[in-house]
Amino acid sequence: MIAQLTKSERQSALVILLALAVVGLAMAAGGRHDPFGVHGAIVLLAAILGIFGVISGYYAPEPSPDRLDSYYDSPTKFGIIVAMVWAVIGMAVGDWVAWLLAYPEWTFDAAWASFGRLRPVHTSGVIFGFGGNALIATSFYVMQRTTRARLPDQLTPWFVLFGYNLFCIIAATGYLMGVTQSREYAEPEWYADIWLVIVWVTYFILYMRVLARRQEPHIYVANWYYLAFILVVAMLHIVNNLAMPISWGSAKSYSLFSGVQDAMTQWWYGHNAVAFFLTSGFLGMMYYYMPKRAGRPIYSYRMSIISFWGITFFYMWAGSHHLHYTALPQWVQSLGMTFSVMLLVPSWVSAGNALMTLNGAWHKVRDDATLRFMMVAAVFYGLTTFEGSFMAIRPVNLLSHYTDWTIGHVHAGALGWVAMITFGAIYASVPWLWKRESMYSAKLVEVHFWLALAGTVIYVFAMWNSGIIQGLMWRTYNESGTLAYSFVDSLVAMHPYYIARAVGGAFFLLGAIIGFYNILMTIRSAPSVETQNAADFPVTGPAAAPALQPGE
């Protein structure tokens, strides 16, 4: 990795790491009796390890100018491997928590092992560790191919990946120590949020630099979705995390918002994190990898653009449907409900566009498990968006809110849509990146697919059943007008469904472990003799005739 950097880039890397080490040392000294100091030590250790890594290759020969004749894929390779590491960690913690909910006695008498601390480790590990690294890695891959332009330098993508994973580590270790803002999908405290802003703005600038130097006049639609993901997440993150620390040596801070304004800001962020992190970015992934793998153009390029603008506009207003029957003004609740129902149109346009893209290629879906991952992801995307719009309707929300139905809905999207499209994209990318004929074992890809699908179906159906039963039990009254069931009664009724959820999660985790093994073995196998294709290389001279993109 270091040998790929120019001399000036190695020097810049050392300066950045030295500055980070100074910040870490100041944090460790200023927060000696606070988790803030522990995080300072982690930052300092990460910076020192980075410095030693750069020094170890500092005097390596300068990279050859020939490097500019090929795409820079080393960051993508690293991002894919790290994404799979986070997948195994995050899903393992999630299944652990699921078993604890079924059998609370299977626990340690320790604060770090409590549900409140382990649950955000699971959600952040899977969403941000697994999903975020996969999005960053695939965006580097896709934007180079669709613009026919190489990444503008070698250092910036490594800074984005290193900085982003440092943020993920700070977040996860903070949860175990009890450091949290108690905000859904936004638990990390103020200093981690500031660091993520620096990393994310760098990521945005890098993406814009690539688009600015593109050799293709047309910006392919996948880049629209990736760019919306980067830009809107930055806006959401900054506004939702406006806070004041109690001191510069403390991890604790207080939100700039309070009361119902705080709740509204949080769910404006929370639902749009689903929209632009867990939807927009992964739609960008789908619009590149599915047509590429199927060898078919997108059914309708115009539909992909209409869907983009519909999703971008409608999603922004939908967050208040999380706050039905609260102190939020009625008109704001109705606004969120209305836009949530309208959101079904652009969402189904994307799902339908993806499935119709497979017309003429269904025999490939039958024979190719990688493409089947993508097809099932599109199906679950359509199902989950319909369910989300349905659950946003106020009378339905009265039954579903605070129940396991919401958990089932979230995991239908997270497992069935996000994880499935990601696994499909990774399985497609690995042989291309490492110049292999195919994955190490096509049978293991099949096994992973069926384990993931079985795990998702078991999990989601268990939570649908338990959620609806919960909602009905909580609103059942006896003849005297009092509740017929206590909360404990409903909890006892949920026990078999909680066991089923944990079993489904175990299936999905096992599939991820098998997938990670298959990827590592593919990397270790011998490279294939590859025929070079002009479309696999950037345009370094005057722009040639525009190349057809996957959707054209």
Side-chain angles (χ1 to χ4, degrees):
M1 175 186 110
I2 304 303
Q4 297 172 339
L5 305 181
T6 63
K7 197 78 168 180
S8 63
E9 287 173 337
R10 295 171 199 175
Q11 293 169 352
S12 298
L14 282 175
V15 170
I16 293 169
L17 290 167
L18 285 170
L20 191 62
V22 171
V23 171
L25 183 61
M27 290 173 62
R32 292 187 302 275
H33 307 295
D34 190 90
F36 184 76
V38 177
H39 278 154
I42 292 174
V43 171
L44 178 60
L45 177 62
I48 291 172
L49 291 175
I51 289 169
F52 276 111
V54 173
I55 291 175
S56 67
Y58 187 81
Y59 294 103
E62 284 258 357
S64 167
D66 294 344
R67 73 185 187 281
L68 301 177
D69 295 335
S70 60
Y71 294 122
Y72 188 45
D73 288 329
S74 295
T76 299
K77 293 178 180 179
F78 177 80
I80 285 174
I81 294 171
V82 173
M84 290 304 300
V85 171
W86 278 109
V88 173
I89 294 172
M91 293 174 192
V93 174
D95 198 50
W96 176 10
V97 170
W99 284 109
L100 286 180
L101 288 175
Y103 299 99
E105 64 275 15
W106 294 1
T107 188
F108 303 105
D109 189 16
W112 65 266
S114 63
F115 175 85
R117 297 193 183 184
L118 289 177
R119 190 260 182 181
V121 174
H122 161 61
T123 54
S124 292
V126 173
I127 295 172
F128 300 120
F130 171 50
N133 275 289
L135 285 169
I136 293 170
T138 56
S139 71
F140 289 163
Y141 184 91
V142 170
M143 68 180 174
Q144 291 185 94
R145 269 72 183 177
T146 55
T147 61
R148 300 286 299 280
R150 194 179 193 270
L151 290 173
D153 65 83
Q154 286 93 196
L155 179 59
T156 306
W158 286 112
F159 173 79
V160 172
L161 282 166
F162 175 85
Y164 183 75
N165 282 283
L166 179 58
F167 163 79
C168 291
I169 291 170
I170 290 173
T173 54
Y175 304 148
L176 295 176
M177 294 187 291
V179 177
T180 177
Q181 292 188 95
S182 301
R183 303 171 77 87
E184 188 75 357
Y185 311 134
E187 290 93 345
E189 273 288 0
W190 61 275
Y191 50 94
D193 292 332
I194 291 173
W195 174 245
L196 183 59
V197 168
I198 295 170
V199 172
W200 211 255
V201 169
T202 305
Y203 181 27
F204 173 72
I205 294 172
L206 173 64
Y207 212 103
M208 294 302 295
R209 288 170 66 195
V210 175
L211 291 179
R213 62 203 300 270
R214 69 186 185 276
Q215 297 298 317
E216 292 292 337
H218 172 64
I219 299 177
Y220 181 59
V221 69
N223 290 298
W224 293 39
Y225 282 99
Y226 276 121
L227 198 56
F229 143 67
I230 299 167
L231 181 60
V232 179
V233 165
M235 178 180 70
L236 297 169
H237 175 77
I238 291 171
V239 174
N240 188 52
N241 289 292
L242 292 174
M244 180 63 67
I246 61 174
S247 76
W248 295 114
S250 173
K252 180 61 182 171
S253 68
Y254 287 98
S255 173
L256 200 64
F257 310 101
S258 61
V260 73
Q261 289 84 7
D262 184 56
M264 184 62 247
T265 305
Q266 160 58 31
W267 282 111
W268 167 78
Y269 163 88
H271 200 76
N272 283 301
V274 172
F276 291 94
F277 199 101
L278 297 176
T279 300
S280 178
F282 292 97
L283 282 173
M285 195 184 289
M286 182 191 75
Y287 274 118
Y288 180 84
Y289 285 97
M290 179 180 276
K292 193 79 171 176
R293 187 73 181 189
R296 301 285 300 171
I298 286 181
Y299 174 75
S300 171
Y301 196 81
R302 182 174 295 176
M303 284 172 64
S304 70
I305 302 299
I306 293 172
S307 174
F308 172 83
W309 287 113
I311 287 172
T312 301
F313 180 71
F314 290 158
Y315 248 122
M316 278 292 178
W317 307 90
S320 59
H321 73 229
H322 288 267
L323 299 169
H324 285 324
Y325 303 103
T326 66
L328 196 71
Q330 187 82 353
W331 72 267
V332 181
Q333 297 180 37
S334 299
L335 183 75
M337 177 179 68
T338 303
F339 274 92
S340 299
V341 173
M342 294 164 64
L343 187 57
L344 182 62
V345 175
S347 299
W348 270 28
V349 167
S350 275
N353 203 8
L355 293 174
M356 287 187 287
T357 297
L358 297 174
N359 285 342
W362 286 104
H363 62 286
K364 295 183 179 180
V365 176
R366 180 193 62 207
D367 300 330
D368 182 3
T370 298
L371 188 58
R372 211 178 309 131
F373 267 108
M374 302 180 196
M375 181 275 292
V376 169
V379 171
F380 268 98
Y381 177 63
L383 292 173
T384 307
T385 50
F386 170 78
E387 183 184 26
S389 296
F390 182 64
M391 292 171 70
I393 299 171
R394 195 179 286 110
V396 179
N397 194 265
L398 182 63
L399 174 67
S400 70
H401 205 38
Y402 305 118
T403 72
D404 290 333
W405 187 355
T406 302
I407 310 301
H409 166 63
V410 168
H411 283 80
L415 302 179
W417 156 236
V418 171
M420 290 287 196
I421 191 65
T422 304
F423 287 136
I426 289 175
Y427 279 134
S429 298
V430 167
W432 299 341
L433 288 165
W434 275 274
K435 314 302 180 189
R436 306 298 190 257
E437 178 104 18
S438 61
M439 289 298 297
Y440 168 74
S441 171
K443 288 185 178 180
L444 288 181
V445 180
E446 283 279 352
V447 171
H448 182 188
F449 171 79
W450 289 112
L451 282 172
L453 181 60
T456 302
V457 171
I458 292 170
Y459 190 115
V460 171
F461 271 90
M463 291 298 95
W464 281 344
N465 279 278
S466 67
I468 293 171
I469 292 171
Q470 275 179 330
L472 292 174
M473 291 180 75
W474 294 349
R475 58 192 290 178
T476 300
Y477 296 88
N478 56 29
E479 293 179 357
S480 61
T482 59
L483 288 173
Y485 303 100
S486 68
F487 179 78
V488 174
D489 291 333
S490 69
L491 195 61
V492 171
M494 295 307 104
H495 189 255
Y497 300 107
Y498 285 179
I499 295 174
R501 168 171 65 178
V503 170
F507 281 7
F508 206 91
L509 170 62
L510 181 59
I513 294 171
I514 291 172
F516 192 23
Y517 169 78
N518 201 5
I519 290 166
L520 293 179
M521 294 304 294
T522 303
I523 295 169
R524 293 184 60 187
S525 62
S528 61
V529 178
E530 185 189 36
T531 57
Q532 294 186 344
N533 187 328
D536 292 332
F537 297 90
V539 177
T540 54
L548 288 178
Q549 301 297 349
E552 300 174 324

